[in-house]
Each structure stands twice: as C-alpha cells, then as structure tokens.
Amino acid sequence: MKESWSAFDTFEPHFRPLVVIELAKNTKEETKEWLTQRIVDKKKNGGAQLLVKPLVKEDGGKIDGNQNLYLVGASHLRLLLGAETVGLVKQCNDNSMRTFTYSSRNTFKDFAEDNHDFLTMAECQYIIKHELENLRAKDERMIPGYPQAKLYPGKSILRRLLTSGILLQIFPLHDTEELKKLRYTWYGQVKISYQPLDEIRCYFGETIALYFGFLEYFTFALVPMALIGIPYYVFAWEDYDKYVMFASFNLLWSTVILEVWKRCCAIMTYRWGTLLMKRQFEEPRPGFHGVLGINAVTGKEEPVYSSIKRQIRIYLVSLPFVCLCLYFSLYVMMIYFELETWALDFHEENESSYSNLMLFVPSIIYAIVIEMMNRVYRYAAEFLTSWENHRLESSHQNHLILKVLVFNFLNCFASLFYIAFVLFDMKLLRQSLATLLITSQILNQFVEALLPYWLQKRHNTKVKKRVYSVKVDTDLSLFEQVNLEKEMGTYLGTFDDYLELFLQFGYVSLFSCVYPLAAVFAVLNNITEMYSDALKMCRVFKRPFSQPTANIGVWQLAFETMSVISVVTNCALIGLSPQVNALFPDSKTDLILIVVLAEHILLALKFVMAFVIPDKPRDIQIKLARLEFESLEALKQQQMKLAAESLKEETHGEKKMN
C-alpha cells in the first residue's frame, strides 16, 4: 500500500546536487521563477517536491555568465518515495528481489534510515529525471513569458521547454570521488581481468553496464574462433579445401553464443533487479507534434498525428530514399572493382614491391569511403525518422535501427558477397575482408575515442583557465565541475557501439572461413575497445542518465538475423569449395540440391537449439514463478479482505434497518 505524499515533509537540511539544468541565456526571470517554483512545489499542488538552487557565490550572488545554471537535488525521504514510484527492484533480507515500497523498507537488505547509500547515485538521478519529466501543466496555457510556447493540461513542461529552446540541457553530475575509484578499477590498471560490471551499473546504470557486459561476453566468445584460426592460418593458408571444417564450426558457434548470451543477460539483469521491473506506459517523444486531440487509450489531451500521413511519409519518401542510397552504394562498389582491376593490371606490368602494395590501395580507399558513407547516411536516416513523426521513442528507434542496419549491411558486405558468389575469387575475398575489417577497426578507434578525447582535453584546459579567472573563493570544485561538464559532449546512447559489434559479428560469422585471422583481429580490437569506450564514458562525455533495461533489445534480433544469414553464406562457401565440388564432378544440380538440403537442416537445427536452450536459467525461472505466485496470492488476499469489509458493512446496514 502506497503512503500518502501529504503525510511527509521532504525538506532536507543538507543539499546534495545531483542534476544540472541549463536554461538559455535570454530566459526571462518570470519563466525561471515559475519553473523553480513548480520543481519545489508539493506533489499535491502539481510540483515535483524536489530541491533546486542556482549556482551561487559564497555571499549568495550569482556568478556572471551562470545565471541560468540550476542544481537539482532531493531529500533522502523524497528519493525513497520516488524509488517506489518508478518501481525500482532491490534485494531483500532473504536474498530475493522485490519491488521497493516505502512501507516495507525495513525488509530490504542494507536499508537504514541514516544510510544514504541504499540507493545508488545513478538511481537517485534517474528518479529526479523521472520526476522532472512528469512535471505537467495544470491550468497554464503557455510558458510564462513565452506566449508562443503553448501548454495544455497534462503536457510535460520539460518537453515543451526543450522544444521551445528555453531549456538547453539537463544532465546528471559526476561523483568525482566515485569516478576516480571506477576509473582505477576499470581501466587504470593494465591487466587481463573481468570488467567491474556491478560498479559500472551502480555508476552509469543498467543500459551502459549491459553493453559492456555484452562486449566482454562477445570478446570471450570470439576466443575459440581465434584459437582455431591461428593454426588454420599458419598451416592451411592457401589450401581452400580445408575451410570446410572451419565453416562448419562457424555455423555451430554463431548459434550457441547468442543463446548462451540470453542466459548470461538474464542472470545479470535479475541481480540488478531490472528483469523484474514492469514496463511503464510510454509518453509521446519530445519531437512528436500534431493537432491537439484526445488519446483514445488514456483519455488525456495530447497531440494527435494521422497514422495514414505517417505511412505515406514512410513508403513514398523514406523507402524510395533508402533504395536510392542502396543503389548508390552498389554503384560505388562497382567503381571499387574497376580500381581493383586497374591495380591488378598495374602489378602484372611492373611486378615490384611498390606494385604489390598498390594491390591493397583500392580496398583501403573503399573501406574509408564505406565508413564515410555510413556516417553521412546515419544523419540522413535520423532526419527522415524524425520527419516521419513517430509518437513513441521505441517506435522511432526501431525505424531508425532498421534503416541504418539495412544500409550498413549492404554497404559493408555487398562487395564480399559479389566477390564470393559472382567472381568466385577466394584470394580477392580474403584480401578484401582483411582490409575492410582492419581499416574499419582503426578508423572507429580513432574517430570514436582518440579524437574526441584529444579535443575534449584541449577544451577542458581552456574552460579551466576561464573558470580560475573568475576567482571564486568557495565551492570552486563544484563551480569548476559544473562548467566543465556542461561543455562536454553528450553521450547519444549505445546505438553506434552495438552497430560496430554487429558489423564485426558479420565479418567474423559470414566469411571468416576464408580469412581465419578475422576473429583474432576482432578480439584484439575488442580489448582496446573496452579501454577506449571506458575512457570515453569517464573522460569525454557528460554522465548519461541511468536507464533501466532487461536486455539488449532489438539488437538481439539483429544478431540472430545475422547468424541465420551466416548459415546460408557458409553453406554456399562449402558448396563452392574444390573439396566438395570434387564429390560431384558430373552433376552440379545434385551439388546445389545437397547444399540447399544441408542449409535447411542446419537452419532447423539452429531453431531447435534456440528452443531447447532456455533463455533463463532454471533457478531464475523458479524465483520469477515464486514472485508471480506470491503477487497473485497477495492480490487474492486483498480482494477477500475488501469483500469481507463490504459484507460487514452490508450486514451492519441491515441490522440498523431492523
């Protein structure tokens, strides 16, 4: 049973800043006063019941240039009540995982009234973000001071401030001491060990921790492929007859690792509590717009946009544009093959060490062009997906991921399919695969980690000089921290990180049998990726808000789709091998039928394995079933209690009448 908010006084004598709000420089005073008042107002009055204060000097005066920076915090009691509101799951004294409720707080492990570490800082910041996003307009029809920024009852105030350009950004503060400890244990020591996933989860939240967990798992899963690939490379480099065994192992490997990952993911997310969290009703995304109407599900007033108009935009504009981009990608691929022909002719004419190096130049240029095209297309895909005007963030992300995956798959792998199944040139396939894989890994490491780190370091030096020139005597560390962090880049999520792993999985699972060292280079890249991504999270970007999640979402389906394609590809490569062709010297039709039959059998085996291997370990299944049984029993007891009270009142009324 939830406690009444009016029964609590959530005043906190010691203010702990957790979140920063930055408003535009020309924001009107009446807007600032209205917003801060709504943040501190009690819940019964439509406020968030949080704590807020501007960044000030010791004497209380605002620091020049920072009048629009506000620090937001909350009392310990307010955070506990917020934890119940968002449905956080915590460990109980009996080691079971249950949804936190304030009334049963003493049954939870490590809880004490004076223990302010019961909730992690990431959880506290997530609660504050949730409460700020749920600040909704009551009777206001506009943002005070901005008549053009319209409001209506139930509209999210923060989202309107963002779309109107009044609110520039909202971000969680780093905990400098905890960050130092995390940096040391995460990447401060050069050693071979597991990542501190529980510490990463406590600091950055489940979504980030799950990505690093998947990166670590995938790297370990690549080790068997790499160990087999090294002797294969040494002893059977030019003997393509031998790649049948490697391709066969590849088929089994690509299926098993994804099924085992589901179990590992379930174990982690159960321990973190997110496997049990109930999915909340999705609100319209900030960029969604339309005519004001009534939501048929909630009955609330909100923008409504015709689904027919959206479908027209998708099928008559977005789809043709994607097809045009795919055609352009194929056109660039044909130019690459012309360059390959030119390089080969040049080598045959000269036959020198220089001409030998020139053989790799077309592949290197093509790999760089592919990376450039992928990045340019990504911006176009984001613009189109925003223009389609999806109501929900999940729908927006799914359409964006589909657009990006289709283009990236064709752009990165079309040339390899063409070489393998049209040109039948295994030597060129090996060379192209090696060049594309290694070049893309080097470019990604440079663009995603090294370059941003160098730019951020230079920028931080300039900001520090500017901060020290203000000569603030007290609270300099907080003042400096806020100014440094607000200028940092914003981490845009794990999309690009998963995409990089997806393409890497494609290179390894589709064609690695002709280049056995693909898995070796993937392992080496992922080890450096762990360190560079950790550096990026801790030093380059603002701290992202924690986002509870139970799995890697649509990326699981993407990887599974790639593994299905790998079955078809490897079966076809086996069919093309001289060893298998020698078994059918007279009839190629028989060979094709045998390959197709083998491919269907392997696909059937793959789906059987996916069915046989449970997604969750047995002990977790039992724990989840027990929790469901207990919740049903509790609901039944509550209904019986209500029925008994109703019967008692009815009997009492009859006695009075008699």
Side-chain angles (χ1 to χ4, degrees):
M1 181 178 174
K2 289 189 176 182
E3 303 284 352
S4 171
W5 281 90
S6 58
F8 299 104
D9 178 12
T10 54
F11 172 75
E12 182 80 6
H14 304 292
F15 181 82
R16 181 195 182 195
L18 293 168
V19 172
V20 176
I21 292 176
E22 184 181 8
L23 303 177
K25 285 185 178 179
N26 58 350
T27 304
K28 296 177 182 178
E29 286 300 321
E30 60 179 307
T31 309
K32 297 178 190 176
E33 291 174 8
W34 171 76
L35 177 61
T36 53
Q37 188 58 46
R38 289 301 305 270
I39 291 172
V40 300
D41 265 352
K42 292 187 178 296
K43 292 284 283 185
K44 63 181 181 181
N45 298 328
Q49 210 162 333
L50 300 173
L51 306 172
V52 63
K53 72 171 187 177
L55 196 64
V56 295
K57 294 181 182 178
E58 185 185 23
D59 58 7
K62 291 179 183 176
I63 299 166
D64 293 338
N66 293 274
Q67 296 93 333
N68 301 308
L69 285 171
Y70 290 86
L71 307 173
V72 183
S75 67
H76 180 54
L77 173 58
R78 177 66 183 85
L79 291 170
L80 292 175
L81 294 170
E84 179 176 350
T85 303
V86 300
L88 288 185
V89 176
K90 305 293 284 184
Q91 189 175 21
C92 293
N93 292 322
D94 61 358
N95 292 324
S96 64
M97 304 296 293
R98 297 179 191 278
T99 304
F100 178 81
T101 58
Y102 185 77
S103 58
S104 61
R105 59 192 181 279
N106 291 313
T107 63
F108 288 87
K109 195 173 184 179
D110 298 327
F111 179 83
E113 297 294 347
D114 58 348
N115 179 17
H116 289 206
D117 295 326
F118 175 70
L119 297 174
T120 67
M121 190 175 180
E123 288 172 337
C124 295
Q125 290 166 334
Y126 170 67
I127 292 165
I128 288 179
K129 175 176 176 275
H130 176 270
E131 295 299 339
L132 289 174
E133 286 182 341
N134 280 277
L135 267 179
R136 303 195 176 277
K138 297 189 295 180
D139 303 324
E140 303 97 334
R141 291 294 171 181
M142 64 174 190
I143 300 288
Y146 295 89
Q148 74 280 8
K150 302 296 183 184
L151 289 174
Y152 51 85
K155 170 65 180 176
S156 171
I157 291 171
L158 236 62
R159 295 186 182 199
R160 175 57 72 216
L161 289 169
L162 276 168
T163 53
S164 303
I166 301 167
L167 175 62
L168 297 182
Q169 60 178 333
I170 172 171
F171 62 91
L173 275 173
H174 274 295
D175 183 329
T176 52
E177 291 303 316
E178 287 299 318
L179 186 60
K180 283 179 186 175
K181 293 177 187 175
L182 179 61
R183 285 207 308 247
Y184 180 75
T185 55
W186 197 359
Y187 66 89
Q189 311 166 76
V190 180
K191 61 177 183 178
I192 299 175
S193 64
Y194 293 106
Q195 295 179 101
L197 294 178
D198 288 334
E199 286 82 356
I200 296 169
R201 174 254 168 181
C202 286
Y203 194 85
F204 288 110
E206 289 79 15
T207 299
I208 304 295
L210 210 53
Y211 160 69
F212 281 101
F214 182 73
L215 174 60
E216 180 178 277
Y217 170 82
F218 184 50
T219 304
F220 278 109
L222 283 166
V223 170
M225 289 282 286
L227 291 176
I228 294 172
I230 292 171
Y232 190 93
Y233 170 82
V234 173
F235 299 112
W237 177 237
E238 296 293 343
D239 189 357
Y240 294 108
D241 290 357
K242 299 285 194 312
Y243 68 59
V244 174
M245 287 183 63
F246 197 86
S248 303
F249 176 77
N250 205 339
L251 294 172
L252 182 66
W253 172 84
S254 62
T255 300
V256 171
I257 65 163
L258 293 176
E259 293 306 315
V260 174
W261 162 249
K262 290 181 187 176
R263 294 170 65 85
C264 294
C265 181
I267 291 168
M268 280 193 293
T269 52
Y270 178 81
R271 186 172 73 245
W272 296 339
T274 52
L275 190 63
L276 303 171
M277 284 186 75
K278 294 179 181 176
R279 190 169 66 90
Q280 295 183 340
F281 183 79
E282 274 194 271
E283 296 288 340
R285 49 186 291 273
F288 177 68
H289 57 84
V291 180
L292 203 61
I294 303 296
N295 185 308
V297 177
T298 63
K300 294 180 180 178
E301 199 175 28
E302 66 173 46
V304 176
Y305 187 77
S306 170
S307 60
I308 297 174
K309 287 183 181 179
R310 185 181 299 114
Q311 297 301 319
I312 289 172
R313 289 187 174 191
I314 291 172
Y315 292 109
L316 297 186
V317 179
S318 295
L319 184 59
F321 176 79
V322 171
C323 292
L324 183 65
C325 290
L326 295 176
Y327 172 78
F328 181 73
S329 173
L330 293 175
Y331 181 76
V332 172
M333 181 190 75
M334 299 313 296
I335 294 174
Y336 156 66
F337 285 120
E338 289 179 8
L339 287 174
E340 281 286 359
T341 305
W342 171 83
L344 188 61
D345 292 341
F346 181 81
H347 177 65
E348 288 175 353
E349 289 176 8
N350 296 274
E351 290 191 359
S352 62
S353 57
Y354 172 72
S355 66
N356 199 37
L357 287 173
M358 285 296 293
L359 289 174
F360 293 93
V361 170
S363 295
I364 293 172
I365 293 173
Y366 185 49
I368 294 170
V369 170
I370 283 175
E371 288 299 317
M372 291 171 62
M373 287 170 63
N374 283 346
R375 293 180 187 280
V376 172
Y377 176 81
R378 168 73 186 274
Y379 290 116
E382 285 178 346
F383 173 80
L384 274 178
T385 310
S386 295
W387 181 70
E388 289 165 8
N389 197 28
H390 296 278
R391 179 180 175 272
L392 302 179
E393 185 62 33
S394 59
S395 176
H396 175 89
Q397 286 297 323
N398 288 342
H399 279 80
L400 176 61
I401 288 172
L402 181 62
K403 288 186 185 73
V404 172
L405 286 187
V406 168
F407 180 81
N408 276 255
F409 181 84
L410 187 81
N411 200 29
C412 293
F413 301 119
S415 62
L416 301 178
F417 278 100
Y418 186 83
I419 294 168
F421 304 118
V422 178
L423 301 180
F424 305 110
D425 190 339
M426 294 302 159
K427 188 173 182 180
L428 180 59
L429 178 62
R430 181 189 69 205
Q431 176 191 310
S432 297
L433 175 61
T435 310
L436 287 173
L437 176 62
I438 295 169
T439 306
S440 66
Q441 288 178 346
I442 293 171
L443 286 173
N444 281 326
Q445 290 285 355
F446 179 74
V447 173
E448 292 182 9
L450 298 178
L451 181 62
Y453 176 69
W454 178 73
L455 292 173
Q456 188 61 45
K457 202 169 182 181
R458 285 190 62 191
H459 181 74
N460 283 357
T461 305
K462 292 178 182 178
V463 172
K464 281 181 180 179
K465 288 179 180 177
R466 197 162 65 240
V467 168
Y468 283 121
S469 68
V470 177
K471 300 190 185 301
V472 183
D473 296 325
T474 61
D475 215 14
L476 179 61
S477 59
L478 178 62
F479 173 74
E480 180 184 358
Q481 181 186 348
V482 171
N483 277 274
L484 284 175
E485 290 185 26
K486 81 181 181 72
E487 299 294 339
M488 286 180 169
T490 302
Y491 181 66
L492 299 176
T494 54
F495 184 97
D496 289 325
D497 299 312
Y498 278 119
L499 179 61
E500 188 179 341
L501 290 178
F502 171 78
L503 296 175
Q504 186 187 91
F505 180 66
Y507 284 124
V508 172
S509 63
L510 295 176
F511 300 104
S512 67
C513 58
V514 296
Y515 184 60
L517 290 186
V520 177
F521 282 110
V523 169
L524 294 174
N525 174 77
N526 288 359
I527 291 171
T528 57
E529 185 83 10
M530 287 182 202
Y531 283 96
S532 62
D533 282 354
L535 179 74
K536 183 171 68 177
M537 294 303 304
C538 296
R539 301 293 294 270
V540 176
F541 293 120
K542 295 185 189 78
R543 183 180 189 173
F545 278 105
S546 168
Q547 189 62 47
T549 186
N551 49 56
I552 61 174
V554 70
W555 290 105
Q556 181 75 38
L557 178 61
F559 277 87
E560 288 174 355
T561 304
M562 181 69 84
S563 72
V564 170
I565 297 171
S566 76
V567 170
V568 179
T569 304
N570 282 280
C571 283
L573 286 172
I574 291 171
L576 290 173
S577 69
Q579 186 181 13
V580 174
N581 270 263
L583 300 174
F584 301 90
D586 301 324
S587 175
K588 296 300 177 186
T589 305
D590 290 345
L591 172 61
I592 293 170
L593 290 173
I594 291 292
V595 169
V596 171
L597 178 63
E599 174 253 325
H600 278 65
I601 291 170
L602 286 167
L603 282 176
L605 179 63
K606 174 183 173 59
F607 291 118
V608 167
M609 287 175 64
F611 178 76
V612 170
I613 301 174
D615 291 351
K616 301 179 183 71
R618 180 65 179 164
D619 61 324
I620 290 180
Q621 289 181 30
I622 292 170
K623 288 173 183 176
L624 293 175
R626 188 184 297 132
L627 283 172
E628 186 178 358
F629 171 75
E630 288 175 359
S631 63
L632 288 172
E633 284 295 305
L635 181 62
K636 192 188 298 182
Q637 291 291 334
Q638 189 177 3
Q639 289 174 341
M640 288 174 64
K641 186 178 177 182
L642 289 172
E645 288 177 357
S646 177
L647 183 62
K648 186 178 178 181
E649 287 177 5
E650 190 178 324
T651 307
H652 184 66
E654 287 177 357
K655 283 181 180 179
K656 273 189 173 182
M657 288 177 68
N658 294 332

